[in-house]
Amino acid sequence: MTRLLRDSATTPAPRVLSYPEVGATATAPLPGSYHHLHHMVRVGHGRDVFEAAGAAVLTWQMHRRSGVRIDTGVERAEPGATLEVSLGLGPLRVAAPCEVVWIAYEGNRIGFAYGTRTGHPECGEESFVVDLMEDGSVWFTVTAFSRPAAWYTRLAGPLVPVFQHAYARHLGRTLTRIATR
């Protein structure tokens, strides 16, 4: 079952998410006025590959093994968990504060989405989902909607979506290596 951050049975903590369409990567269509990203890659075949890939996604292993720094106080993605995703070194390091807004942990679907928090260079949401299909194939999908939120991402203009697509492809290759070993 996909669990959204805004569960009607609980009172949510004060939000510092930088966009109003929280949870939109769990539903279709994605909201307008954002750049959309959808990247799908076949990771492998079988329940073992699916379980390994799902664990790598939920425990940040996929991100970390792809060269991204993840700073968080939790071992697994869970709704409401905050994290900082960063790339680069020293003064060239770009930090991006995020919050997990939903998770999916179902029989044939595992993944999560994080949303941007105040201070992130982009504004929007990105999901990372592993699906086990009826034919046994395992697919990894990155879905996102975003727009610039900092001067340097606005200045970079059309280069940001190119970087985002390259990053999604890199995550897919990394996850394939993790899950098929």
Side-chain angles (χ1 to χ4, degrees):
M1 172 191 291
T2 301
R3 292 186 304 171
L4 290 172
L5 177 63
R6 294 183 179 176
D7 183 345
S8 61
T10 62
T11 303
R15 313 257 27 101
V16 291
L17 292 167
S18 60
Y19 65 104
E21 301 90 346
V22 176
T25 55
T27 61
L30 295 176
S33 76
Y34 291 90
H35 171 263
H36 295 169
L37 171 104
H38 184 81
H39 177 73
M40 236 178 130
V41 62
R42 188 176 189 273
V43 174
H45 190 271
R47 172 74 53 187
D48 290 344
V49 170
F50 168 72
E51 294 292 339
V57 167
L58 288 181
T59 62
W60 322 113
Q61 183 184 13
M62 175 191 65
H63 284 85
R64 288 181 171 134
R65 297 254 313 257
S66 71
V68 174
R69 183 174 173 181
I70 299 287
D71 292 317
T72 183
V74 297
E75 292 182 25
R76 297 176 64 85
E78 58 188 53
T82 59
L83 60 145
E84 184 177 87
V85 180
S86 59
L87 290 168
L89 298 169
L92 299 178
R93 185 172 144 228
V94 175
C98 301
E99 182 172 332
V100 176
V101 295
W102 62 260
I103 64 165
Y105 197 82
E106 303 161 2
N108 294 331
R109 185 176 186 83
I110 298 173
F112 76 95
Y114 54 52
T116 59
R117 292 170 57 97
T118 304
H120 193 293
E122 288 284 301
C123 172
E125 189 172 293
E126 189 167 22
S127 69
F128 312 92
V129 177
V130 179
D131 288 296
L132 177 61
M133 303 302 194
E134 287 185 23
D135 67 357
S137 62
V138 178
W139 291 83
F140 171 63
T141 305
V142 178
T143 303
F145 61 92
S146 63
R147 61 181 170 225
W151 67 268
Y152 52 91
T153 52
R154 283 190 289 279
L155 184 65
L159 294 178
V160 174
V162 171
F163 171 76
Q164 290 171 328
H165 281 275
Y167 176 61
R169 287 190 303 274
H170 180 62
L171 288 176
R173 288 189 302 272
T174 301
L175 187 60
T176 300
R177 283 192 302 275
I178 292 169
T180 58
R181 286 193 174 177

